[in-house]
Amino acid sequence: MVDLLSLLEEAGDKPLSGAVIGRRLGLTRAAVHKRIARLRAQGHLIEGAPRIGYLLKRHSDRPSSGDYKPGWGRPFHYFETIPSTQDAAKLAAAQGTPEGALFIAERQTAGRGRLGRRWDSPAGGLWYSLLLRPNLAPSAAPGLALAAALDWARLLEKRGLPARVKWPNDVWIGRRKLGGILTEMSSEADRVQWVVLGIGVNVNNPVPKGLLTPGVSLKGAKGKNWSRADLLSEWMARFAETYAGYLKGGFPTIRKEFERLSLLRGRDARFELEGRGVLGRVLGVDAEGRLRIRSGGREQTISVGDVRPA
Ligand code: BTN
């Protein structure tokens, strides 16, 4: 069903009366009034004049359903508070929801990261899960997270921030983590059924202190508030293209860019290898997106695990 914000967006510069909105959304005038008040409280600038109606003058920085190209970001599910967008997306995936569905939350109470870690998700960040149904072998799916991280680094680079990808799927600025990607999927033996990319980026939110990996937000890095709506719509547009290329040509289509923006390439780092902590030099990534390292005089590739700059 259309939501009130989308209705106001569609109307453009034509005011919509409470009665018309009520009819379209099946609400009483009082309920319309309440929802308008809620949108204003979220920061949307909505003008209202008696007998004329309501007019959306300016969005808050909150992403909304009209921001993406056709087929992406629809259905659009926005939650004020939810345990984890990842669970909502996985449930929808199992129920047959189409590719491109987007689940986004103002805050999560049980956000989770890779390797079972907790992911703090207070208001002001971008916490979202994107449902994909790629025609790929299961072994090629993890590369989608590398692609997603790369598109974040590229869009921030364009905005003057030295963001880097840290294998496998983090985005860092300097020595601090800005965001990360959690990939969950369901597959048959040789084909992926669905992938949910769960993406968390610290934007205007406070970043908790004392994390295992020190964190940073965009606001902290640049000293200003950012529009989450603009950031997400640009990422969605970029990723739609990167994804289309990846479906045709796999990881080689992004390998060069991934290496160009790699935090660790040519640097020493610590790895988990077969349960042991190892120190080595990062050489780059191979054609499948695995990390190439030299350690103890031997070149090896790593496909899962944790890596930190030494
Ligand atoms: C990581 O760096 O470990 C990955 C973090 C992924 C966090 C995002 S926020 C949106 C989605 N919902 C979750 O519960 N987790 C992911």
Side-chain angles (χ1 to χ4, degrees):
M1 187 170 110
V2 205
D3 65 3
L4 175 52
L5 200 54
S6 315
L7 208 62
L8 290 168
E9 272 170 5
E10 277 166 23
D13 55 6
K14 274 202 230 85
L16 286 182
S17 71
V20 168
I21 298 174
R23 258 201 314 280
R24 294 281 307 272
L25 300 182
L27 297 171
T28 62
R29 292 276 284 274
V32 170
H33 194 75
K34 249 199 199 150
R35 291 208 187 175
I36 293 278
R38 206 183 304 151
L39 287 179
R40 284 178 173 150
Q42 285 167 358
H44 301 278
L45 185 61
I46 299 170
E47 277 183 356
R51 284 189 304 279
I52 295 176
Y54 299 106
L55 185 67
L56 179 65
K57 293 298 274 188
R58 188 168 38 79
H59 271 293
S60 75
D61 83 317
R62 199 200 96 175
S64 67
S65 57
D67 294 347
Y68 320 109
K69 77 173 196 130
W72 282 90
R74 297 211 182 246
F76 177 86
H77 298 274
Y78 172 83
F79 308 90
E80 275 297 332
T81 304
I82 193 174
S84 161
T85 55
Q86 205 65 1
D87 295 337
K90 284 168 68 181
L91 186 66
Q95 290 169 344
T97 297
E99 167 162 283
L102 184 62
F103 302 79
I104 174 157
E106 186 62 40
R107 51 184 84 69
Q108 301 183 115
T109 52
R112 54 176 194 277
R114 290 176 62 239
L115 310 171
R117 293 179 185 140
R118 203 183 79 197
W119 183 263
D120 286 290
S121 324
L126 264 175
W127 324 125
Y128 64 100
S129 298
L130 177 66
L131 170 60
L132 300 172
R133 295 189 179 277
N135 185 12
L136 290 175
S139 59
L144 291 171
L146 277 62
L150 175 63
D151 278 340
W152 266 106
R154 290 203 271 209
L155 89 80
L156 294 172
E157 179 188 44
K158 205 186 98 195
R159 289 164 187 242
L161 276 171
R164 294 287 176 267
V165 283
K166 185 183 112 2
W167 190 94
N169 35 23
D170 282 1
V171 183
W172 284 41
I173 293 179
R175 293 186 70 87
R176 294 190 289 168
K177 174 163 168 165
L178 176 77
I181 294 155
L182 171 68
T183 319
E184 294 180 288
M185 71 167 168
S186 163
S187 66
E188 286 157 16
D190 56 353
R191 275 286 159 252
V192 169
Q193 284 176 323
W194 53 257
V195 172
V196 171
L197 289 182
I199 303 181
V201 181
N202 295 310
V203 182
N204 303 319
N205 56 295
V207 178
K209 302 227 169 6
L211 296 176
L212 182 66
T213 306
V216 65
S217 67
L218 289 178
K219 184 175 179 175
K222 262 302 214 222
K224 63 159 184 123
N225 273 310
W226 292 66
S227 162
R228 291 174 297 166
D230 287 355
L231 288 168
L232 185 58
S233 79
E234 189 179 333
W235 182 86
M236 289 283 278
R238 280 177 177 269
F239 188 70
E241 254 182 53
T242 307
Y243 178 61
Y246 191 97
L247 291 184
K248 287 198 197 112
F251 188 75
T253 58
I254 55 167
R255 182 178 178 185
K256 225 165 128 194
E257 272 289 272
F258 193 89
E259 296 215 308
R260 181 176 74 83
L261 289 175
S262 162
L263 177 79
L264 297 175
R265 187 164 181 240
R267 285 173 63 178
D268 287 338
R270 294 186 186 283
F271 319 88
E272 284 283 325
L273 267 187
E274 291 148 15
R276 289 176 310 122
V278 173
L279 187 69
R281 169 66 55 96
V282 175
L283 304 174
V285 279
D286 72 6
E288 261 86 60
R290 291 174 302 209
L291 194 70
R292 294 172 48 233
I293 64 162
R294 182 173 305 114
S295 174
R298 261 190 334 129
E299 195 177 317
Q300 315 182 42
T301 54
I302 305 180
S303 46
V304 286
D306 226 9
V307 182
R308 356 195 106 252

